[in-house]
Structures are given as C-alpha cells and as structure tokens.
Amino acid sequence: MREIPLSLLTESIVGLILQASYTISPDIEQAVSAALEAEPSAQGKAVLSQLMENYSIAQQERIAICQDTGMAVFFIEIGQDVHFTGGSFEDAVQEGVRRAYCEGFLRKSVVTDPLFDRKNSGDNTPAVIHTRIVLGDRVRILFTAKGFGSENMSAIRMLTPAQGEQGVMDFILETAEKAGPNPCPPMIIGVGIGGTMEQAALIAKRMTTRPVNTHHADPRYAHLEQQALDAVNRLGIGPAGIGGRTTALAVHIDWAPTHIAGLPVAVNICCHAARHGEIVI
C-alpha cells in the first residue's frame, strides 16, 4: 500500500491547471504551424498567424491562452494500492481548482444553479471529476479546461445499427457544419461510438485530448478519422470561421462495446487551444 498525502494531489493539480492554461501543447502548436504553411486563404493565414503569436505571448507572459478559461474536467485513474491521507479526495481536487483559478488570475465561469439562480461560484468550482480504479500504486490525472464556445456546439445522437458508418460520418459532418465559427476553429473533434449515451460522451471528451498527430490503432477507425477530417475541412468554414481550408486540426475517434439494438455517437468539439495536461503521481 502506498500512501499519498492529499496536499500533494492539490499542489499537483494547481501546477497542472496553470501549465495547461498558459502554455499550448507542442502537438497543437506544430499542427497550427503546419496549417499556416498549407492554408490557401489569405484571411485564414492571417488568423493562424495571430494564433501562433497568441500562444507565444501567453507562454512568455504567463497569461491565459483564451479569455474563456473553461470548466475544469478531470479523468483520474487511481491505483488500487493507493491510500490517500489527510482529508477528502474530492475536497483536495476542488481546492486545487480553486487555488489555480484564483492565484492564476483565470476567469471564473462556473454557476452553481444552472437554471434559476445562475450565481457564479467565484472560484470556478465545482470541477467535473471522473474517477476509475486501476491496478498499481500510481495516480494518473488528465485535466482539460472546457470552454463553452465549443462545448455548446457538441452533440449526441442515438443512431440505429443500420445507419452504420455513413450515419456516423453524416452526424460528424452535420455537427461541425452547425458549429460554424462558434467553437473558434480550427477545432479538434472528439467522437465516441458505442457504449451507452453517457459513455459515448465521455469517450468523445477524452478524444479531444489525444495528440493531434496520432491515429487510431485500428486502420478502419483511422481511415474514418481521416475521411471525417477531410470532409470537415471541405466545408470552407476556415480559421475563426472566416473562410479557408483549416476548419479542423484533427478528428479523433474511439469506441466501446454497445447493445445489439443501438449505435450511440457523441461528438465533442474543442477549440484550437485544446487546453489539457496529464501528470502521474
């Protein structure tokens, strides 16, 4: 049994959030740089150039990449041989979020009652926390800051098995086209197929954090990813939605087993900033 003080968990989360909020991940920066070279639209090139400049300023001056600093979402894998000490696990995670958003001068965007009061919590808590117990004595924390310009454009649909591959492709394309300029393209599009309604959505969200230069291990799904990316980029929405070829940087797909009568599909859209990070304790 390995004991981990919850104070270490809190400190780790503070550092993880600040790093993700101020520094664009190398895969995104490389993808935007490559898109800048390939983009045929002069307006599109100008936008991509501004994005690159923004990434540089944010990193150098330690300020937020985007004004919408997002809602904190965690996927945390806890080794079954870990024993946390010194308080409540959830309280420790929320304290990390509270400290990062307050000390890091990140915008607080969470309202406590979503329908009636809509009062700001003042510290961007509560975060959304998904936990999973795994083998071992380590804790793996995946964080993503989800802005709602893109989250609002996400969608889920319960397809029938007969709709098959074409139904999935049509839904991805329809969702991207409806999104238009709202999610601050170029986008990263995560797609979850199978499972149940909520499992498909969780898979889709995780897929927005996959490095953009990677492909699904199954060549059939890798081919579908490339087909979907090409189709989205033919829409002509372009960077910032003002026209061009670079509407999306990547389409990432994963799947889970599902019921014989169903084909759930979730599409989670993420903006170009794609703020996320991962650490292991």
Side-chain angles (χ1 to χ4, degrees):
M1 182 67 68
R2 178 181 175 223
E3 291 192 348
I4 297 178
L6 284 166
S7 58
L8 175 59
L9 180 68
T10 296
E11 292 294 336
S12 300
I13 285 173
V14 172
L16 182 61
I17 292 173
L18 294 180
Q19 175 69 13
S21 298
Y22 299 153
T23 306
I24 197 72
S25 58
D27 61 308
I28 299 293
E29 188 169 19
Q30 291 166 10
V32 173
S33 178
L36 175 59
E37 294 297 318
E39 176 57 57
S41 162
Q43 289 179 311
K45 276 186 176 294
V47 171
L48 293 171
S49 179
Q50 289 168 358
L51 294 185
M52 293 293 291
E53 182 181 7
N54 181 69
Y55 300 153
S56 178
I57 293 170
Q59 182 174 8
Q60 290 172 13
E61 300 191 13
R62 301 284 290 172
I63 56 177
I65 294 170
C66 173
Q67 54 81 26
D68 184 350
T69 51
M71 191 168 185
V73 180
F74 293 93
F75 293 91
I76 304 179
E77 294 181 349
I78 304 170
Q80 64 185 22
D81 296 324
V82 167
H83 172 60
F84 291 112
T85 62
S88 157
F89 168 80
E90 180 156 346
D91 286 351
V93 175
Q94 302 293 359
E95 178 62 18
V97 174
R98 181 177 297 109
R99 281 186 48 194
Y101 276 82
C102 292
E103 296 172 13
F105 301 101
L106 303 177
R107 194 182 83 184
K108 292 79 176 173
S109 303
V110 174
V111 295
T112 52
D113 181 333
L115 184 58
F116 296 109
D117 297 335
R118 293 195 65 85
K119 182 180 178 182
N120 197 297
S121 70
D123 57 15
N124 222 57
T125 65
V128 178
I129 307 170
H130 305 287
T131 57
R132 182 169 169 251
I133 304 299
V134 298
L135 292 173
D137 63 357
R138 298 289 185 268
V139 178
R140 183 181 299 273
I141 306 169
L142 173 61
F143 162 76
T144 181
K146 201 62 173 68
F148 266 57
S150 58
E151 187 76 352
N152 284 340
M153 297 296 105
S154 302
I156 189 164
R157 183 167 294 172
M158 307 302 286
L159 300 180
T160 63
Q163 289 174 278
E165 182 178 342
Q166 189 59 53
V168 172
M169 176 68 77
D170 290 345
F171 180 49
I172 296 170
L173 196 60
E174 174 191 321
T175 304
E177 189 168 21
K178 284 183 177 178
N182 294 314
C184 299
M187 314 175 239
I188 294 91
I189 300 174
V191 182
I193 302 174
T196 52
M197 181 182 72
E198 80 281 4
Q199 188 177 17
L202 287 172
I203 292 170
K205 179 145 293 171
R206 284 197 73 132
M207 284 299 98
T208 64
T209 70
R210 203 182 86 192
V212 298
N213 55 357
T214 61
H215 307 282
H216 199 285
D218 185 325
R220 299 169 300 175
Y221 284 93
H223 180 63
L224 184 60
E225 288 176 339
Q226 189 60 53
Q227 278 188 309
L229 178 62
D230 292 342
V232 168
N233 283 333
R234 286 195 296 269
L235 291 173
I237 295 167
I242 60 175
R245 189 170 69 186
T246 315
T247 299
L249 298 175
V251 175
H252 294 156
I253 300 173
D254 207 358
W255 58 273
T258 193
H259 191 278
I260 56 172
L263 182 61
V265 182
V267 177
N268 194 236
I269 293 179
C270 187
C271 70
H272 65 88
R275 295 151 300 182
H276 63 273
E278 188 173 3
I279 56 171
V280 177
I281 301 174

